[in-house]
Every structure is written in structure tokens, then in C-alpha cells.
């Protein structure tokens, strides 16, 4: 993981950090004192080509983790999928909140590795896969709609889950009206490298089949 992070950000390192506002969870993330100034051109290109999303805990993931730990009945005893797990924050929170089984899915192999490592740090068991399992009780999606191309995941989620919880700070309304907004939660991406303050509120949407 360290090596992969340094491929894109040569001056970065991973450090294990307890999350602000979700002190129950510790994650291996990019160092919080990473310089926030403009990056050299070649580094910027590498970041765009292979973004290490898994090295951050995104505001929406943080918000969803807080929500599940405060309201565990959403996942208690249930089979839960964390789609676009990144660091694994939402899935780890679901496991801590008493989910019967948590499956973390991510297309990025380094995110799958990060989720495995972070689950171990928090002493919870997560299955980690690239493919969505056929059916789960609750599918979590935190900060996966950052790219318009990911909007079809809203329909895909409905085919693989009885309920879906979407947390997103970039998208304030969803194109599918069957998703109902439950609440908003203030949360910043951690570490905050200075450019995310406009995304300080996560919107939480729910769909039930
Ligand atoms: C911005 S990160 C959010 C990570 C984490 N959920 C959080 O809140 O910190 C988005 C993640 O979604 C993953 N992703 C993007 N498209 C995906 C897809 N079609 N299926 C599964 N994962 C996807 C990316 O690889 C990345 O790890």
C-alpha cells in the first residue's frame, strides 16, 4: 500500500489515525501533514491517472460510519455490502454496529487491500471482493457518485439489495425519485488537504425495495 501510494505521491506516507467524529475507528491513511500546495506537474498527472481514493476517508464515508454507529438497527444482524469501499470505513462501521456479514466491493485492487488492512486494524471481519454479491439486505454507497458515469450504480444497487443507503457530499439530489433523503450530516474528508470544504455536508438517501 505504501509503495502504491508513493507511485502517485512520492512524498506521502501512510499513518494509522483515529477518525475525527468517529473515534471508534482507526484507519491507515495518507499523512495528515501532507503539503497542500500545488503539486508538480508529473505528480498531478500520476494522481489523475491513478487516484489513491483509498488513502483518504471521504466525508460521506465518515458521515455514513457515524450514522450506522449511532443507529445500529439499520445493519444489525443483516448482510451488508459496502460498494466502493475505499478505505473500508462504512463497512467497518457496519461490522462494529453488529452486521451479521459485511462484504466490501471495490474495483481498485489497492482499495481492496486497504479495506483488508483497515478491517484488521479495527479487529472486524470483512469479506473483500471485486464483484457485487447477488443479493444483500443493505447496500452502502459512500462517495461513489463523484463521477457522473457512476450514476447507473443507483439502479445496479437496487438489483442487488433489499435496501440501499447512499451518502454523498457532491450530489445533493438523486436522479431516481425512489431514493428518499433521510438526513444530512456535516463531515469533512480526512485528512483534509485543503480543497474539500465545499463538500462539508453529506446527504443520506434511502431506498427500500
Ligand atoms: C471517493 S472513494 C470513497 C471511498 C469510501 N466509500 C469512503 O467514503 O471513504 C470512491 C471509491 O469507489 C470505488 N469505485 C468507483 N467506481 C466503482 C464501481 N463501479 N464499483 C466499485 N467500486 C467503485 C473507487 O475505486 C473508490 O475506492
Amino acid at each position: 500500500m505504501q509503495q502504491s501510494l508513493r507511485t502517485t505521491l512520492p512524498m506521502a506516507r501512510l499513518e494509522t489515525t483515529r477518525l475525527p467524529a468517529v473515534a471508534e475507528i482507526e484507519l491507515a491513511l495518507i499523512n495528515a501533514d501532507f503539503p497542500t500546495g500545488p503539486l508538480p506537474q508529473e505528480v498531478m498527472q500520476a494522481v489523475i491517472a491513478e487516484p489513491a481514493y483509498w488513502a483518504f476517508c471521504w466525508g460521506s464515508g465518515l458521515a455514513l460510519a457515524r450514522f450506522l454507529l449511532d443507529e445500529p438497527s439499520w445493519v444489525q444482524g443483516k448482510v451488508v455490502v459496502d460498494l466502493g469501499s475505499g478505505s473500508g470505513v462504512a463497512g467497518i462501521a457496519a461490522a462494529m454496529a453488529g452486521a451479521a456479514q459485511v462484504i466490501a466491493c471495490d474495483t481498485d485492487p489497492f482499495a481492496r487491500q486497504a479495506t483488508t488492512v483497515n478491517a484488521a486494524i479495527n479487529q472486524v471481519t470483512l469479506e473483500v471482493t471485486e464483484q457485487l454479491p447477488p443479493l444483500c439486505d443493505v447496500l452502502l454507497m459512500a462517495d461513489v457518485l463523484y463521477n457522473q458515469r457512476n450514476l447507473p450504480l443507483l439502479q445496479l444497487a437496487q438489483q442487488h439489495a433489499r435496501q440501499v443507503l447512499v451518502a454523498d457530499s457532491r450530489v445533493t439530489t438523486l436522479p431516481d425519485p425512489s431514493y428518499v433523503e433521510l438526513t444530512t450530516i456535516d463531515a469533512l474528508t480526512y485528512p483534509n488537504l485543503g480543497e474539500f470544504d465545499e463538500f462539508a455536508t453529506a446527504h443520506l438517501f434511502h431506498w427500500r425495495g
Side-chain angles (χ1 to χ4, degrees):
M1 277 163 70
Q2 183 77 64
Q3 210 174 0
S4 150
L5 182 63
R6 290 223 165 113
T7 311
T8 43
L9 292 165
M11 51 301 227
R13 63 177 194 281
L14 286 176
E15 57 188 24
T16 303
T17 321
R18 202 163 279 285
L19 294 177
V22 189
E24 296 91 331
I25 297 179
E26 278 185 286
L27 297 176
L29 299 171
I30 191 171
N31 50 305
D33 60 353
F34 184 82
T36 57
L39 294 169
Q41 178 72 14
E42 66 280 9
V43 174
M44 205 58 227
Q45 279 165 354
V47 169
I48 290 164
E50 274 190 63
Y53 292 123
W54 54 268
F56 295 84
C57 177
W58 296 83
S60 313
L62 202 66
L64 186 51
R66 185 68 272 149
F67 178 79
L68 296 176
L69 289 166
D70 288 345
E71 300 198 31
S73 60
W74 282 93
V75 290
Q76 243 161 17
K78 299 200 165 113
V79 177
V80 175
V81 166
D82 178 8
L83 177 61
S85 62
S87 65
V89 61
I92 290 167
M96 285 179 167
Q101 186 185 7
V102 180
I103 302 141
C105 284
D106 205 294
T107 43
D108 177 353
F110 291 112
R112 297 198 294 274
Q113 199 182 342
T115 296
T116 303
V117 167
N118 286 324
I121 289 173
N122 291 281
Q123 300 177 328
V124 294
T125 304
L126 263 59
E127 289 165 43
V128 180
T129 99
E130 185 175 1
Q131 300 294 333
L132 264 180
L135 187 64
C136 67
D137 296 313
V138 183
L139 186 146
L140 311 173
M141 227 193 302
D143 213 327
V144 183
L145 304 178
Y146 55 91
N147 187 328
Q148 289 265 322
R149 278 180 308 185
N150 283 349
L151 285 174
L153 291 177
L154 291 170
Q155 276 80 51
L156 187 70
Q158 292 170 338
Q159 292 156 21
H160 288 261
R162 295 188 174 91
Q163 293 187 64
V164 182
L165 283 170
V166 176
D168 218 291
S169 46
R170 287 149 223 280
V171 181
T172 54
T173 54
L174 296 185
D176 178 346
S178 66
Y179 282 88
V180 174
E181 184 161 357
L182 285 182
T183 188
T184 56
I185 301 168
D186 289 342
L188 282 176
T189 293
Y190 189 82
N192 183 337
L193 299 181
E195 68 255 69
F196 300 113
D197 288 8
E198 62 187 288
F199 306 122
T201 302
H203 295 254
L204 185 61
F205 301 93
H206 177 231
W207 172 84
R208 188 188 292 273

